[in-house]
Amino acid sequence: MTSANHLSSQVSFEKDAALVSQLLNDLQSEQSALVSADLDAIEQMVDKRVELLQALGAAANARYDALAAAGFEPNEQGMSAWLKKQSSTVLEQAWVSFQQKLVQAKELNRLNGILINKNFQRNQEKLDALNGKSAAPQFYGKNGQTHRADTARGSYSV
């Protein structure tokens, strides 16, 4: 076995795939917790998420290092070139599945971000109401710019 073949056989994305599967499960759990407003569960997920993302980054860096050592670009294009050289439909299908899981994880993360933003806005509105800040309706003025209707009639006397 030549040195290049030995290094090429060390290129793997199995660890990455396992970590992305964990990330998908974590994001789905987060979504459930966001929908049910389970703040305790969300807080517990934060540290786990940081560790998971760090492990995923380390696994990707190890894969890139192995690709570079095998003479391929240390990026996704290098991975594609490595896969073509392997001529393995099983590996190619696993890579496609891995890429699809990454897309799913990105979409779940985007949706969770929307849920977080909606929860934040709702909480901000409640805080504003408690602090006496009214959410007066906005109208368009003569210049086309929005302005809030002033509900106080301090300048008028009866």
Side-chain angles (χ1 to χ4, degrees), residues 7 15-16 18 21 33 36-37 41-42 49 53 57 72 75 86 90 104 116-118 129 137 143-144 147 156:
L7 288 173
K15 187 173 183 179
D16 306 64
S21 292
S36 65
I42 294 168
R49 176 77 51 80
L53 291 173
F72 296 92
N75 55 32
Q86 302 311 304
V90 173
Q104 287 177 326
I116 289 169
N117 190 36
K118 285 185 178 194
N143 63 359
H147 67 279
Y156 296 109

Side-chain angles (χ1 to χ4, degrees), residues 26 29-30 32-48 119:
D26 191 54
S29 296
E30 179 185 59
S32 296
L34 286 167
V35 168
S36 65
D38 186 353
L39 297 179
D40 292 331
I42 294 168
E43 285 180 23
Q44 292 174 357
M45 291 179 193
V46 172
D47 291 335
K48 180 184 173 188
N119 284 331

Side-chain angles (χ1 to χ4, degrees), residues 23-132:
L23 180 62
L24 276 172
N25 290 335
D26 191 54
L27 287 166
Q28 289 166 345
S29 296
E30 179 185 59
Q31 190 171 82
S32 296
L34 286 167
V35 168
S36 65
D38 186 353
L39 297 179
D40 292 331
I42 294 168
E43 285 180 23
Q44 292 174 357
M45 291 179 193
V46 172
D47 291 335
K48 180 184 173 188
R49 176 77 51 80
V50 169
E51 290 174 11
L52 189 57
L53 291 173
Q54 287 174 342
L56 191 56
N61 287 337
R63 178 170 32 95
Y64 291 153
D65 290 345
L67 282 169
F72 296 92
E73 290 182 57
N75 55 32
E76 303 310 306
Q77 290 81 13
M79 188 67 186
S80 295
W82 179 82
L83 284 168
K84 286 179 186 174
K85 185 176 180 184
Q86 302 311 304
S87 300
S88 169
T89 56
V90 173
L91 276 176
E92 288 180 30
Q93 289 172 350
W95 179 251
V96 168
S97 174
F98 171 68
Q99 294 295 317
Q100 289 171 342
K101 285 181 181 181
L102 281 176
V103 169
Q104 287 177 326
K106 288 177 185 178
E107 180 62 12
L108 273 173
N109 189 55
R110 186 188 71 78
L111 292 173
N112 289 358
I114 290 170
L115 288 171
I116 289 169
N117 190 36
K118 285 185 178 194
N119 284 331
F120 176 78
Q121 287 175 348
R122 184 174 42 243
N123 289 340
Q124 188 62 51
E125 289 169 3
K126 289 177 182 178
L127 284 172
D128 287 347
L130 287 172
N131 290 326

Side-chain angles (χ1 to χ4, degrees), residues 8-23:
S8 181
S9 68
Q10 292 180 358
V11 176
S12 172
F13 55 92
E14 292 167 355
K15 187 173 183 179
D16 306 64
L19 290 168
V20 168
S21 292
Q22 287 178 3
L23 180 62

Side-chain angles (χ1 to χ4, degrees), residues 134 136 149-156:
S134 68
D150 188 6
T151 56
R153 296 184 181 210
S155 62
Y156 296 109

